[in-house]
Amino acid sequence: MSNDKKIKKKLLRYTVFMIIVGTVLIVSAVCIVYTSKKAENNSHVAYVNAILGEYKLNFSNKIESDLSTLVSVADMIEQGYISKDDIIKDVFTYFPKNSEFEKIGYYSIEAENKIITLDGSNIKYEFSNSPEKEKQTIRSAWQGNQTVSEVYTEDGKDKICYAVPVYEDGKVDGAITANIYLDKFVDIINANTLDGIKINIAWVNKSGDIIEYSEANILQGKRADIIKKAWSNKESFQFTSPVVKKIDIVLEKDTYPLYSIEIGHNGWSIVYIDSEGEVISPVYSAIFILVVIFMLLILFCFLVMLYTFKYIKNDKKTILSLADYDQLTKVYNTGEFINQVEQLYDNSADYYSVILNFRHFQYINNIFGRNIADKILIRTADILKSNLATDELVCRYRSDEFCMLLKSKDKKQLKNRILNIMDNISGISAKLQNEYAIKLYCGVSFRKADKQKKLPIADMLNEAEFALKTIKQGYDNNIAFYDSSVKEKKIFQNEIESSMEQALRNNEFKLFLQPKKNLLNNEIIGAEALVRWIKPDGKMIFPDEFIPLFEANGFCASLDLYMVDKVCALQRKWLENGKKIIPISVNQSKILFYRKDYIKNLCNITQKYGIDNKYIVLEILEGLVADDIETLNHTIAILREKGFQISMDDFGSGYSSLNTFTSIALDEIKLDKVFLRSIGTEKEQKQKQMMENIISIAKSFGIRTVTEGVETQVQETFLKSISCDYGQGYLYSKPISIDEFEEKYIN
Ligand code: C2E
Ligand code: MG
Ligand code: MG
């Protein structure tokens, strides 16, 4: 899936998630608002009940305490503490001057009136002159009742009157009265509750008329109408608590919940019209804060969502380019390259994947600096891009590697195209004005059009990488095409290396022998030991396939001594069997010669089998001479001293020098088979002359000569004519197993 699709998918998932979260938040908000509204309603009603209860209490307390003041005066008159005759003088003793009463009085049933105003002036009133409401109250007291009058007006001022009976000898004798201005009750209406709250209430009489109301009220005009309407519907009042009743009054389409509580005197009530939401309970405010916080939270989430979407939308391009493109060179990265290949793939085309690598890019980095190195990469990417045809791709594969997917019908054409691209890239250095010649090499893999399958791009990249690795370091632009046999060889070599130790322990390495013939008397005077690896399944592997590997990995040192061991064991067997013993040549690899314990190990083997060292000929290669001639000579000298014979193998195959004769002490040289291969070619004469001279020089130094690769009688005749001592080759025998060798030459 492409990164674009991946991001779109992620965005979709993210959106769905946000929508779910948003919905959950909104639903819970609605639930919270609903339940809190309900709770708030309940708590509001309870709160109104409590406040009205408090107002009622204040009201009735006031009335009760006024009445009980009068009752105590009545008691004192009854008990003779205050004389009815001198009530005016005595009452001052019991009434403080700052009493709330306007005046108090005593009305005897015989209508003897004594009145005192609380400013101290003593005025006599006539019962008959009293306002009607006052008269009614006094009469009620004469009948033995403690009474509170309804509101009445006197001298332009609203007031009420209290009256309590005064007894003498168990019979009502008169009534003690007190008048109080309405203002004192207005104070109660306007007072704060214990919670410090003040609400707009009205004091209403039993007919629904307003006696007094608190200072401000938005409903001023409508209030009287609402109360009147409520009083005309008194049977519809509902109790919201044992004492508070409620009714919803609809007036001009608006609904006004009206709460009322009776004071307990004269059918008076305290009324509260809940229209302004002025009663805000503490629970309500807590719920309100909660709802506000919740709403803010939703808003915040919503804003975050909105911002994220906007951000993602704006930066989608950047994100996409970060995910899909190499930031330095602006070509695809490998991941996106592979995605694109899948999308572009046309199954009727032949495809090549090409991995391009710079030679010594680390050097460019170190010497010219990162900046220049980066510029080279950027320009390279530009060149590669400009060389693409439709439906071809390029990506930055690794730090200094680019990969291209190219289409071509013809391999040669493609090769030229790549070489041309590489030349263009080499030209960058001139543009950057430095002398360094940028060189590249590349590995290429190929897939023929395949109608059935998808393009196996991962395999193609592996193959191109493998091909790339087969190119040796050099100074040219090179191309290597993937060759499956090269890879198979590599796999084979890996197998060999992983199984060699085990093979040695299992005796899979077998000793084969190839005889050496004395050309003077035609006798077999020796043999060369040659190794064969015979696998458990019987498959035979020849030394050419593994010796170079073992030389490189050091295993040859073990193998060569193992072969010496096998040779000595064989010679010992021959001795035991009373057979003639012949010298056997063993090939010794270069690394052995520089091992400190080499000579000791070698001697240990010959001693173990009791074989005279002279029966062992050590074949060394010319290459040794080039390395460290002093160490070599020193080793050879000791070996020869110990009786071993030294033979120079493959003489003439490499850069042999006649100096060899003088610089190292040899017993034998083996002329390489290439000399004989030239017989029958135009070089024949010269090569023959060369062999003759080499042999003659060797003889002059007392060195024995052997020629390898004798395959024909003609070759043997020639060797005899130039006095070569020994011959070795298929003419006499191929390397053969011990059994075969013993049968042919020993028995
Ligand atoms: P080399 O020591 O020069 O051995 C001679 C090679 O020439 C042998 O190949 C032999 O089979 C081949 N040969 C002999 N006569 C003829 C002929 O008439 N015509 C042709 N065309 N070839 C002939 P082989 O056995 O495959 O060995 C190849 C090389 O492997 C040897 O070359 C030697 O360098 C190395 N080698 C073999 N065994 C050992 C070993 O035990 N240790 C080490 N270090 N190297 C070994
Ligand atoms: Mg040899
Ligand atoms: Mg040889």
PDB file of all heavy atoms in Angstrom, residues 528-530 585-587 619 621 649-650 670 708 728, ligand 2:
ATOM      1  N   GLU A 528      53.098 -37.991  -7.059  1.00  0.00           N
ATOM      2  CA  GLU A 528      52.650 -36.749  -6.421  1.00  0.00           C
ATOM      3  C   GLU A 528      51.337 -37.038  -5.691  1.00  0.00           C
ATOM      4  O   GLU A 528      50.445 -37.687  -6.242  1.00  0.00           O
ATOM      5  CB  GLU A 528      52.440 -35.624  -7.438  1.00  0.00           C
ATOM      6  CG  GLU A 528      51.947 -34.351  -6.750  1.00  0.00           C
ATOM      7  CD  GLU A 528      51.834 -33.141  -7.673  1.00  0.00           C
ATOM      8  OE1 GLU A 528      52.090 -33.259  -8.882  1.00  0.00           O
ATOM      9  OE2 GLU A 528      51.485 -32.056  -7.146  1.00  0.00           O
ATOM     10  N   ALA A 529      51.267 -36.559  -4.465  1.00  0.00           N
ATOM     11  CA  ALA A 529      50.021 -36.720  -3.687  1.00  0.00           C
ATOM     12  C   ALA A 529      49.071 -35.600  -4.059  1.00  0.00           C
ATOM     13  O   ALA A 529      49.425 -34.432  -3.989  1.00  0.00           O
ATOM     14  CB  ALA A 529      50.343 -36.654  -2.199  1.00  0.00           C
ATOM     15  N   LEU A 530      47.882 -35.967  -4.465  1.00  0.00           N
ATOM     16  CA  LEU A 530      46.876 -34.960  -4.846  1.00  0.00           C
ATOM     17  C   LEU A 530      45.590 -35.276  -4.100  1.00  0.00           C
ATOM     18  O   LEU A 530      45.191 -36.429  -4.008  1.00  0.00           O
ATOM     19  CB  LEU A 530      46.665 -34.982  -6.365  1.00  0.00           C
ATOM     20  CG  LEU A 530      47.902 -34.518  -7.152  1.00  0.00           C
ATOM     21  CD1 LEU A 530      47.870 -35.026  -8.580  1.00  0.00           C
ATOM     22  CD2 LEU A 530      48.027 -32.996  -7.152  1.00  0.00           C
ATOM     23  N   SER A 585      55.705 -36.646  -3.518  1.00  0.00           N
ATOM     24  CA  SER A 585      55.653 -35.172  -3.439  1.00  0.00           C
ATOM     25  C   SER A 585      54.323 -34.746  -2.836  1.00  0.00           C
ATOM     26  O   SER A 585      53.284 -35.261  -3.219  1.00  0.00           O
ATOM     27  CB  SER A 585      55.747 -34.554  -4.834  1.00  0.00           C
ATOM     28  OG  SER A 585      56.857 -35.084  -5.493  1.00  0.00           O
ATOM     29  N   VAL A 586      54.408 -33.801  -1.917  1.00  0.00           N
ATOM     30  CA  VAL A 586      53.163 -33.227  -1.359  1.00  0.00           C
ATOM     31  C   VAL A 586      53.170 -31.717  -1.588  1.00  0.00           C
ATOM     32  O   VAL A 586      54.201 -31.057  -1.415  1.00  0.00           O
ATOM     33  CB  VAL A 586      52.988 -33.532   0.151  1.00  0.00           C
ATOM     34  CG1 VAL A 586      52.249 -34.828   0.385  1.00  0.00           C
ATOM     35  CG2 VAL A 586      54.317 -33.533   0.852  1.00  0.00           C
ATOM     36  N   ASN A 587      51.998 -31.213  -2.023  1.00  0.00           N
ATOM     37  CA  ASN A 587      51.885 -29.773  -2.261  1.00  0.00           C
ATOM     38  C   ASN A 587      51.759 -29.037  -0.925  1.00  0.00           C
ATOM     39  O   ASN A 587      50.963 -29.430  -0.072  1.00  0.00           O
ATOM     40  CB  ASN A 587      50.655 -29.493  -3.117  1.00  0.00           C
ATOM     41  CG  ASN A 587      50.815 -30.061  -4.517  1.00  0.00           C
ATOM     42  OD1 ASN A 587      51.565 -29.542  -5.336  1.00  0.00           O
ATOM     43  ND2 ASN A 587      50.133 -31.175  -4.785  1.00  0.00           N
ATOM     44  N   GLU A 619      56.443 -29.692  -2.400  1.00  0.00           N
ATOM     45  CA  GLU A 619      56.249 -28.844  -3.592  1.00  0.00           C
ATOM     46  C   GLU A 619      55.789 -27.464  -3.145  1.00  0.00           C
ATOM     47  O   GLU A 619      54.761 -27.322  -2.474  1.00  0.00           O
ATOM     48  CB  GLU A 619      55.209 -29.465  -4.531  1.00  0.00           C
ATOM     49  CG  GLU A 619      55.713 -30.707  -5.241  1.00  0.00           C
ATOM     50  CD  GLU A 619      54.794 -31.132  -6.392  1.00  0.00           C
ATOM     51  OE1 GLU A 619      53.880 -30.358  -6.758  1.00  0.00           O
ATOM     52  OE2 GLU A 619      54.992 -32.243  -6.913  1.00  0.00           O
ATOM     53  N   LEU A 621      55.227 -23.224  -4.290  1.00  0.00           N
ATOM     54  CA  LEU A 621      54.862 -22.456  -5.495  1.00  0.00           C
ATOM     55  C   LEU A 621      55.755 -21.242  -5.655  1.00  0.00           C
ATOM     56  O   LEU A 621      56.276 -20.702  -4.667  1.00  0.00           O
ATOM     57  CB  LEU A 621      53.404 -22.016  -5.398  1.00  0.00           C
ATOM     58  CG  LEU A 621      52.400 -23.164  -5.584  1.00  0.00           C
ATOM     59  CD1 LEU A 621      51.006 -22.730  -5.183  1.00  0.00           C
ATOM     60  CD2 LEU A 621      52.406 -23.681  -7.019  1.00  0.00           C
ATOM     61  N   ASP A 649      57.120 -26.008  -7.808  1.00  0.00           N
ATOM     62  CA  ASP A 649      55.986 -26.464  -8.625  1.00  0.00           C
ATOM     63  C   ASP A 649      55.618 -25.400  -9.658  1.00  0.00           C
ATOM     64  O   ASP A 649      55.901 -24.212  -9.475  1.00  0.00           O
ATOM     65  CB  ASP A 649      54.796 -26.737  -7.689  1.00  0.00           C
ATOM     66  CG  ASP A 649      53.761 -27.666  -8.310  1.00  0.00           C
ATOM     67  OD1 ASP A 649      53.971 -28.104  -9.466  1.00  0.00           O
ATOM     68  OD2 ASP A 649      52.746 -27.944  -7.632  1.00  0.00           O
ATOM     69  N   ASP A 650      54.990 -25.841 -10.703  1.00  0.00           N
ATOM     70  CA  ASP A 650      54.419 -24.949 -11.729  1.00  0.00           C
ATOM     71  C   ASP A 650      55.425 -23.917 -12.248  1.00  0.00           C
ATOM     72  O   ASP A 650      55.063 -22.771 -12.536  1.00  0.00           O
ATOM     73  CB  ASP A 650      53.181 -24.220 -11.183  1.00  0.00           C
ATOM     74  CG  ASP A 650      52.062 -25.184 -10.841  1.00  0.00           C
ATOM     75  OD1 ASP A 650      52.175 -26.378 -11.228  1.00  0.00           O
ATOM     76  OD2 ASP A 650      51.090 -24.767 -10.198  1.00  0.00           O
ATOM     77  N   LYS A 670      59.549 -28.252 -11.261  1.00  0.00           N
ATOM     78  CA  LYS A 670      58.535 -28.924 -12.080  1.00  0.00           C
ATOM     79  C   LYS A 670      58.058 -27.922 -13.111  1.00  0.00           C
ATOM     80  O   LYS A 670      57.420 -26.914 -12.759  1.00  0.00           O
ATOM     81  CB  LYS A 670      57.360 -29.370 -11.200  1.00  0.00           C
ATOM     82  CG  LYS A 670      57.706 -30.524 -10.272  1.00  0.00           C
ATOM     83  CD  LYS A 670      56.475 -30.971  -9.487  1.00  0.00           C
ATOM     84  CE  LYS A 670      55.676 -32.018 -10.254  1.00  0.00           C
ATOM     85  NZ  LYS A 670      54.563 -32.554  -9.429  1.00  0.00           N
ATOM     86  N   GLU A 708      55.499 -31.488 -16.142  1.00  0.00           N
ATOM     87  CA  GLU A 708      54.122 -31.907 -15.853  1.00  0.00           C
ATOM     88  C   GLU A 708      53.311 -31.926 -17.140  1.00  0.00           C
ATOM     89  O   GLU A 708      53.665 -31.268 -18.113  1.00  0.00           O
ATOM     90  CB  GLU A 708      53.435 -30.894 -14.927  1.00  0.00           C
ATOM     91  CG  GLU A 708      53.930 -30.864 -13.512  1.00  0.00           C
ATOM     92  CD  GLU A 708      53.170 -29.825 -12.695  1.00  0.00           C
ATOM     93  OE1 GLU A 708      52.949 -28.695 -13.185  1.00  0.00           O
ATOM     94  OE2 GLU A 708      52.812 -30.152 -11.570  1.00  0.00           O
ATOM     95  N   GLN A 728      55.631 -36.359 -15.794  1.00  0.00           N
ATOM     96  CA  GLN A 728      54.411 -36.672 -15.014  1.00  0.00           C
ATOM     97  C   GLN A 728      53.233 -36.277 -15.880  1.00  0.00           C
ATOM     98  O   GLN A 728      53.220 -35.186 -16.451  1.00  0.00           O
ATOM     99  CB  GLN A 728      54.404 -35.860 -13.706  1.00  0.00           C
ATOM    100  CG  GLN A 728      53.223 -36.143 -12.813  1.00  0.00           C
ATOM    101  CD  GLN A 728      53.234 -35.257 -11.554  1.00  0.00           C
ATOM    102  OE1 GLN A 728      54.301 -34.785 -11.137  1.00  0.00           O
ATOM    103  NE2 GLN A 728      52.079 -35.035 -10.981  1.00  0.00           N
TER     104      GLN A 728
HETATM  105 MG    MG B   2      51.999 -30.053  -7.415  1.00  0.00          MG
END
